[in-house]
Amino acid sequence: MFLNIFDSHTHSDTSWDARHSITFLCETAVKKGILGFAITDHVEINEFYSRNIEKRIRQGHFEMLKARAAFGQSLILSYGIELGQMTYDMDLTRKVLSMVDRDFVLASLHCIRGSEDFYYMNFEGTDPYALLAEYYEELIAIAKLGLFDSMAHISYPVRYMNGNYDLGVDLTRMDDHIETLLRILAQNGKALELNTCGMREKIGEPSPTLRYLKRFRELGGEFLTIGSDAHSADVIGAGIQEGMALAKEAGFDYFTFYKKRQPRLLQIY
Ligand SMILES: [Zn+2]
Ligand SMILES: [Zn+2]
């Protein structure tokens, strides 16, 4: 049992694929004895207009302010964003980043250019390693931009390639790409995310696995955020304690959350 449980990746019903209001997430977090969490609702740059995201951001921000007024004494609420595919439209990305003040920017990549989200793919007739090469080249481009605080679930495609489709992908074949990515993050003082979602799904492992957490640490990575990727209140905080144990094993004595875009360290104990 660890203290200091902080979940840096959660979705409220501001995200089209999530179920509960920020207020209900706060109520649940307090009941679970969680120290705090970050709201990281989706902003997918390539779906910004089709998902009416500008309106969602305004509403979500307002909901967060109400929740902060009600729960600010009981838990730490970090107001963040999961910003997907930021390289696909840089002008829009800059506009989104300047719309409201945020505590935390979590960068993610859910699809490669011209393709649908890996979540929807069936991988028929594809070479998974070619897809992964494209995926990591884009993640490296995002890492170089440095407009974010932490990089989310860096083995996202594998969750579906191996989890849903048993393609038997050996991620170590991408180690050169991943090494480059981790080195850029470490050198630029960016955080890596340990996403625990896969631990409660068919694939049964976090993203990334211990191998890459260790490598990030060896390369001088200081900041690690841990997130459940909860899309409903019942799983807020899920896997965070297991994540803290993994972080410890990888050589981290602290993990990180963000307030006003600054890293705050929490001891793992
Ligand atoms: Zn994501
Ligand atoms: Zn997410």
Side-chain angles (χ1 to χ4, degrees):
M1 173 73 193
F2 289 99
L3 301 171
N4 278 343
I5 295 173
F6 197 100
D7 187 340
S8 280
H9 189 154
T10 72
H11 295 272
S12 77
D13 56 9
T14 297
S15 298
W16 48 92
D17 55 354
R19 286 177 46 201
H20 295 123
S21 67
I22 297 177
T23 303
F24 187 62
L25 294 180
C26 287
E27 254 177 50
T28 310
V30 170
K31 271 191 205 143
K32 288 189 177 188
I34 289 170
L35 177 68
F37 67 98
I39 296 283
T40 51
D41 280 313
H42 289 295
V43 172
E44 306 289 320
I45 286 294
N46 55 321
E47 296 178 58
F48 190 81
Y49 301 105
S50 61
R51 300 276 192 193
N52 203 4
I53 291 180
E54 181 155 358
K55 188 172 163 212
R56 289 174 189 274
I57 292 172
R58 303 282 176 210
Q59 284 175 344
H61 184 247
F62 183 64
E63 289 302 316
M64 179 279 297
L65 292 174
K66 284 198 295 186
R68 190 173 270 167
F71 292 93
Q73 303 298 316
S74 328
L75 53 80
I76 302 168
L77 188 56
S78 166
Y79 177 58
I81 178 178
E82 181 179 4
L83 184 53
Q85 295 82 248
M86 62 168 79
T87 40
Y88 293 10
D89 185 337
M90 287 309 304
D91 288 341
L92 182 55
T93 290
R94 289 199 182 87
K95 178 184 152 179
V96 165
L97 288 173
S98 64
M99 276 172 70
V100 286
D101 281 335
R102 295 187 180 87
D103 293 306
F104 180 47
V105 176
L106 181 61
S108 71
L109 185 63
H110 295 124
C111 60
I112 51 179
R113 288 179 194 245
S115 284
E116 57 196 344
D117 193 311
F118 285 99
Y119 176 84
Y120 298 109
M121 286 180 79
N122 65 16
F123 302 104
E124 259 171 46
T126 64
D127 171 2
Y129 294 102
L131 292 176
L132 284 169
E134 256 190 87
Y135 184 79
Y136 283 108
E137 275 152 28
E138 198 76 47
L139 268 190
I140 288 165
I142 292 171
K144 284 180 178 165
L145 285 174
L147 294 170
F148 60 93
D149 302 308
S150 182
M151 184 162 269
H153 49 55
I154 64 160
S155 53
Y156 181 77
V158 179
R159 195 195 278 177
Y160 305 104
M161 289 173 170
N162 287 354
N164 296 9
Y165 288 95
D166 293 318
L167 299 186
V169 163
D170 173 11
L171 194 63
T172 64
R173 281 177 57 180
M174 306 311 298
D175 274 3
D176 286 352
H177 283 82
I178 299 173
E179 174 90 6
T180 302
L181 176 63
L182 294 177
R183 195 179 290 277
I184 294 168
L185 295 175
Q187 285 175 350
N188 295 338
K190 299 298 174 191
L192 177 69
E193 177 190 73
L194 167 51
N195 186 299
T196 68
C197 171
M199 291 159 67
R200 53 182 193 273
E201 291 186 344
K202 199 176 154 216
I203 192 166
E205 63 181 32
S207 175
T209 54
L210 182 60
R211 171 190 181 82
Y212 299 106
L213 300 176
K214 276 187 176 158
R215 190 65 193 133
F216 178 60
R217 187 72 183 132
E218 284 164 7
L219 290 167
E222 268 186 89
F223 305 122
L224 188 75
T225 62
I226 309 180
S228 68
D229 215 341
H231 282 65
S232 58
D234 51 315
V235 285
I236 193 167
I240 304 298
Q241 299 203 48
E242 292 87 337
M244 289 163 82
L246 277 175
K248 191 105 185 155
E249 213 179 324
F252 293 90
D253 290 322
Y254 296 86
F255 74 114
T256 304
F257 71 96
Y258 283 79
K259 280 296 272 185
K260 300 183 193 297
R261 307 287 312 268
Q262 296 299 314
R264 303 277 182 93
L265 299 179
L266 290 171
Q267 200 176 353
I268 300 173
Y269 72 107

